[in-house]
Amino acid sequence: MSHIVIIGAGECGARAAFALREKSFDGQITLVGAEEHLPYERPPLSKDALLHGHEPKFVSEAAHYTEAGIQVLTGVSVESIDTAGKSVGLSNGDKLTYDRLLLATGARPRPFPGLAGASDRIKTLRTHHDAVSIRAALQPGKHLAVIGGGFIGLELAATARKLGAQVTLVEGLARILTRGVPEPVAAIIAERHRAEGVEILCGTRIEGLTEGRDNASILLEDGRIITADMIVVGIGAVPNVELARDAGLAIDNGIAVDQHLRTSAPDIYAAGDCCSFPLAYYDGRRLRLEAWRNAHDQGNLAAVNLMGGEEAISAVPWFWSDQYDLTLQIAGMADGATQTVRRDMADGAFILFHLAADGRLLAASGIGTGNAVARDIRLAEMMIAAGVRPDPVALSTPGTKLKSLLAA
């Protein structure tokens, strides 16, 4: 009987396992995860899990894995891959042989330079355990300091304010959300955070961090010291490639895969946050995405190709972030755009459309309350996939139906 082993029990790995059964794979499936929990979703960790102290939002309940015939090994890590013998060595001393292997090892928080690791007062946010330990500092009378003005840092800041904590956010670059978010959109988010009482310090270099029994401090280059009950470092993520690298697989800003998610080793695939891949929409540029949608989509795609399919990556990158009552959504990648067109919508919502020199729509960035931009961002996503070259004037005109531009 054919055996598919999946290393990494997160959204991507779990989705691949269930998709294999949905596509009638009748062999053995083993899903291996280092955490004690069954696979759970990570986006709620900076929002609902902190607000309400919930248990993880599980991808599926234990009974569903049993019903699907998926063996889940939790609390066990993979220590080695033998590509010649087609086996993996586990931390408990066991060995699993495979016919095909999927690496869905994800990513881990990028550590603050010079800091050995997380501690009682200086933390990162990646796991449910992290969220539980951070929540203790999110209450009235407490002061949280966040390092990093990306999605994780800002979502955490919004959640902390909702729970009544004082928040100071430090970003070394000139503005928040420099990675992939246009300045006008980032400005709206920064303004909202400040209105909610978050102190945002941009363009500020950190000289060092110190930790005491009751607090931790950030020493800034200009001599200022920010003392808080807890510091959370959110300065990006590092793909977990060590296992693949030690097995001799090609690495290029992640585990390098082709358009079918195949690695450089026979019968080994990789998907999700841990891998970089070429995307045809952007002239074959190699991307690595840290996003729930990408993990979900590539889990489905991996299942097809693990069964012998030859389906290429085709999903358009899509990101979202909820902060207070604002929702930010981005479809595509704006890198290389030569023209940006703004489309104003009701209640202050707007979308920026980013066009290439040849007129192709490369990306769309929208912000508004609730689901104000969701439908048009979805249509923009479809336009990007279709290679549409929309009329900029029509894009900027609120009365123009984007669906008509897609049809044209």
Side-chain angles (χ1 to χ4, degrees):
M1 179 183 293
S2 181
H3 186 194
I4 292 176
V5 174
I6 302 171
I7 303 175
E11 175 70 37
C12 184
R15 179 84 293 272
F18 281 108
L20 283 166
R21 290 301 188 220
E22 291 161 8
K23 299 176 190 306
S24 301
F25 176 72
D26 60 1
Q28 184 180 357
I29 302 172
T30 303
L31 179 62
V32 185
E35 291 190 60
E36 296 291 341
H37 295 287
L38 286 172
Y40 60 87
E41 296 184 0
R42 298 193 188 277
L45 295 181
S46 57
K47 300 180 281 287
D48 289 349
L50 289 173
L51 275 175
H52 307 298
H54 288 162
E55 282 295 300
K57 183 180 179 182
F58 293 110
V59 174
S60 193
E61 298 302 320
H64 296 159
Y65 293 92
T66 303
E67 292 165 5
I70 299 169
Q71 181 183 23
V72 185
L73 304 179
T74 58
V76 180
S77 59
V78 175
E79 297 190 335
S80 63
I81 301 173
D82 177 358
T83 58
K86 300 185 75 169
S87 68
V88 298
L90 305 182
S91 58
N92 62 7
D94 291 344
K95 180 182 289 188
L96 297 174
T97 58
Y98 65 84
D99 293 285
R100 292 200 169 180
L101 178 67
L102 174 63
L103 301 177
T105 50
R108 62 185 184 276
R110 186 179 301 279
F112 188 83
L115 199 64
S119 61
D120 289 342
R121 298 284 174 177
I122 303 174
K123 299 184 178 295
T124 56
L125 177 57
R126 177 68 183 178
T127 68
H128 177 69
H129 174 76
D130 295 335
V132 169
S133 65
I134 289 170
R135 194 177 191 277
L138 308 187
Q139 53 185 289
K142 298 289 187 179
H143 183 192
L144 176 73
V146 178
I147 300 175
F151 288 134
I152 291 294
L154 290 164
E155 289 173 0
L156 177 58
T159 301
R161 286 301 299 137
K162 287 181 180 179
L163 291 171
Q166 178 187 351
V167 180
T168 301
L169 185 143
V170 180
E171 167 57 55
L173 298 177
R175 67 169 176 88
I176 62 170
L177 296 173
T178 56
R179 183 182 173 189
V181 179
E183 192 281 331
V185 175
I188 294 293
I189 294 175
E191 179 183 351
R192 182 54 187 276
H193 274 279
R194 290 189 172 108
E196 294 287 342
V198 177
E199 180 183 20
I200 299 179
L201 306 176
C202 289
T204 306
R205 180 179 173 82
I206 296 174
E207 287 292 314
L209 306 180
T210 61
E211 181 179 12
R213 188 181 67 178
D214 299 320
N215 54 45
S217 297
I218 304 173
L219 174 61
L220 303 181
E221 185 180 44
D222 61 11
R224 284 180 293 171
I225 297 176
I226 299 169
T227 299
D229 295 282
M230 183 176 290
I231 297 171
V232 177
V233 178
I235 55 175
V238 180
N240 293 321
V241 302
E242 290 77 12
L243 193 62
R245 182 194 61 209
D246 292 347
L249 277 61
I251 306 298
D252 183 358
N253 184 32
I255 303 169
V257 300
D258 66 11
Q259 62 180 336
H260 305 292
L261 297 177
R262 288 186 294 242
T263 71
S264 59
D267 297 320
I268 300 181
Y269 294 70
D273 294 12
C274 68
C275 76
S276 67
F277 56 92
L279 193 56
Y281 302 129
Y282 304 101
D283 303 318
R285 171 187 167 196
R286 185 166 287 277
L287 306 174
R288 188 177 68 82
L289 302 177
E290 299 159 10
W292 179 91
R293 167 80 77 84
N294 180 65
H296 188 274
D297 289 346
Q298 289 195 352
N300 283 321
L301 178 61
V304 172
N305 293 339
L306 284 163
M307 294 175 62
E310 290 288 326
E311 187 172 322
I313 299 167
S314 62
V316 173
W318 178 83
F319 311 86
W320 96 97
S321 179
D322 295 326
Q323 297 173 43
Y324 309 107
D325 61 344
L326 292 176
T327 296
L328 159 69
Q329 290 195 25
I330 297 177
M333 307 288 285
D335 298 4
T338 60
Q339 182 181 7
T340 297
V341 176
R342 177 169 171 146
R343 180 186 183 95
D344 288 311
M345 305 169 72
D347 299 320
F350 65 89
I351 297 176
L352 301 177
F353 295 96
H354 311 281
L355 306 173
D358 64 2
R360 281 181 304 124
L361 180 63
L362 293 179
S365 312
I367 189 167
T369 57
N371 292 319
V373 302
R375 181 175 181 276
D376 282 352
I377 289 292
R378 174 58 182 150
L379 288 168
E381 185 181 339
M382 296 167 68
M383 292 164 67
I384 295 166
V388 172
R389 292 172 168 80
D391 175 20
V393 174
L395 279 180
S396 67
T397 304
T400 302
K401 300 289 187 183
L402 294 187
K403 196 169 185 179
S404 67
L405 301 181
L406 175 64

